[in-house]
Amino acid sequence: ELDAFGNMFASYGTTLYKMSESGTILNERTFSKEIIATAISPDSTKLALTLKSGVMGQDSILIVSTGDLSTLTSSDTTRTNAYILKWSPNGADLYANSPNDGIIQLDRDTLDEKAAYTNNHTGVMTCVDISGVSGMVLTADENGLVQLWDSDGGIKHQEIQIQSTILDCAFGDEDEFFSISTPTDGIRKWTLSGSELKPIDVHGAEKYHFTKTKNNVIIHKTTPTQHILVYDIFNEVIVDQVTLFHAFDDFVMLFDEDESMTNIITNTKVNYVVKYGSEIQRIG
């Protein structure tokens, strides 16, 4: 994770590190269980994390201060190796795996459950996304079930069963559509009323998100090699691509005012954080 001041937060096993932009360790904290997932709040003041599942009464989700990594609140709400962890765009709520099936919505101050998005989800959850416009919630599982909910889980607006594995899901900017990525059918899109739109012809997007000011989607792919690409939806062309030499499954990207990539920060499989820049200045 990366905060608004350039500080990086990374976890290895049971230890959480806070590092400066240059990589100096500013703070660290060791927890009782392995850290499964992390997510930084939109205002950069809080870091949520989930721990490897324990018994009832043993904390499995915590919110810590990004300043000194002290615990602000904690709960045993998840208890299921909650590898999905996402803040709402306004920072009021957290979304994580339900202890049963589906996704649960938690209050940021108490971690009490506010809503559940579980109906008909029986497989492993692959993703959740929350609209910053309508507050709708998008959920998808490995069995190909896609569901679109209202903000409190009470009304299900759409339920789509596809015959494919789902890798990730996301709302389009301004709620123009909701979408899911697949290994061989590209990124499929639907209007909020359920009409399918022309898919984006990029297969195997492990993670992706749409930019806010341009018709671009940022995509992470692992085949045939690890790479990140920027795809222009309107013109249907790849406008930028970076191939990386090592395996990773988590990353943060930075852009300039023209939405050109300036930095990519990734994890690795060998306990390093790697920072790539568009410019390298050497001394001497």
Side-chain angles (χ1 to χ4, degrees):
E1 312 295 337
L2 189 73
D3 69 13
F5 310 102
N7 298 312
M8 297 176 285
F9 299 83
S11 63
Y12 298 108
T14 60
T15 304
L16 175 69
Y17 294 94
K18 176 182 179 180
M19 295 173 285
S20 70
E21 191 173 4
S22 62
T24 302
I25 296 177
L26 304 175
N27 208 337
E28 63 182 272
R29 179 180 172 185
T30 300
F31 295 83
S32 60
K33 298 278 188 177
E34 179 184 350
I35 299 168
I36 301 297
T38 59
I40 197 165
S41 63
D43 65 1
S44 292
T45 62
K46 304 177 184 67
L47 185 77
L49 58 92
T50 56
L51 302 179
K52 197 167 186 176
S53 71
V55 298
M56 185 172 292
Q58 188 177 76
D59 289 341
S60 56
I61 182 169
L62 298 89
I63 296 180
V64 303
S65 167
T66 53
D68 59 6
L69 305 186
S70 60
T71 299
L72 301 176
T73 185
S74 60
S75 171
D76 67 348
T77 310
T78 52
R79 298 195 312 278
T80 52
N81 292 343
Y83 50 88
I84 293 177
L85 188 60
K86 193 178 185 75
W87 288 87
S88 61
N90 62 8
D93 301 301
L94 270 170
Y95 294 77
N97 301 83
S98 167
N100 301 306
D101 297 311
I103 297 291
I104 51 175
Q105 176 185 348
L106 306 173
D107 181 86
R108 69 176 176 190
D109 296 318
T110 64
L111 291 178
D112 290 337
E113 183 177 319
K114 295 175 66 174
Y117 307 85
T118 58
N119 189 28
N120 289 343
H121 278 307
T122 58
V124 174
M125 300 302 298
T126 59
C127 60
V128 62
D129 196 25
I130 305 94
S131 165
V133 178
S134 64
M136 287 185 175
V137 176
L138 176 64
T139 60
D141 64 34
E142 67 175 7
N143 294 332
L145 181 62
V146 185
Q147 299 193 105
L148 182 66
W149 311 75
D150 69 348
S151 58
D152 62 6
I155 299 174
K156 185 164 41 176
H157 295 277
Q158 298 294 334
E159 180 172 299
I160 300 170
Q161 181 71 57
I162 67 170
Q163 302 302 313
S164 174
T165 299
I166 296 174
L167 301 175
D168 197 12
C169 57
F171 282 99
D173 188 36
E174 299 298 324
D175 278 6
E176 294 178 356
F177 55 81
F178 64 94
S179 64
I180 55 100
S181 61
T182 66
T184 58
D185 297 326
I187 297 176
R188 297 179 63 178
K189 304 183 297 180
W190 293 265
T191 65
L192 298 191
S193 61
S195 299
E196 187 161 10
L197 303 170
K198 183 180 180 180
I200 299 171
D201 191 24
V202 179
H203 310 311
E206 300 287 340
K207 296 291 181 183
Y208 70 98
H209 68 272
F210 298 95
T211 61
K212 293 186 178 299
T213 58
K214 288 187 177 180
N215 273 327
N216 289 343
V217 56
I218 313 298
I219 297 171
H220 170 217
K221 291 187 61 178
T222 59
T223 56
T225 58
Q226 292 269 357
H227 60 284
I228 295 172
L229 60 89
V230 181
Y231 187 85
D232 184 326
I233 303 172
F234 183 78
N235 294 304
E236 299 184 333
V237 293
I238 296 173
V239 295
D240 205 354
Q241 181 167 312
V242 179
T243 301
L244 306 177
F245 70 93
H246 63 86
F248 67 95
D249 56 21
D250 199 10
F251 66 95
V252 177
M253 298 181 65
L254 298 178
F255 300 87
D256 61 19
E257 60 275 9
D258 296 322
E259 285 198 3
S260 296
M261 284 189 286
T262 58
N263 294 101
I264 302 173
I265 305 169
T266 81
N267 68 345
T268 70
K269 301 300 184 182
V270 289
N271 290 7
Y272 275 86
V273 170
V274 183
K275 183 177 181 181
Y276 296 88
S278 57
E279 296 182 5
I280 299 175
Q281 298 180 358
R282 302 188 183 280
I283 298 175

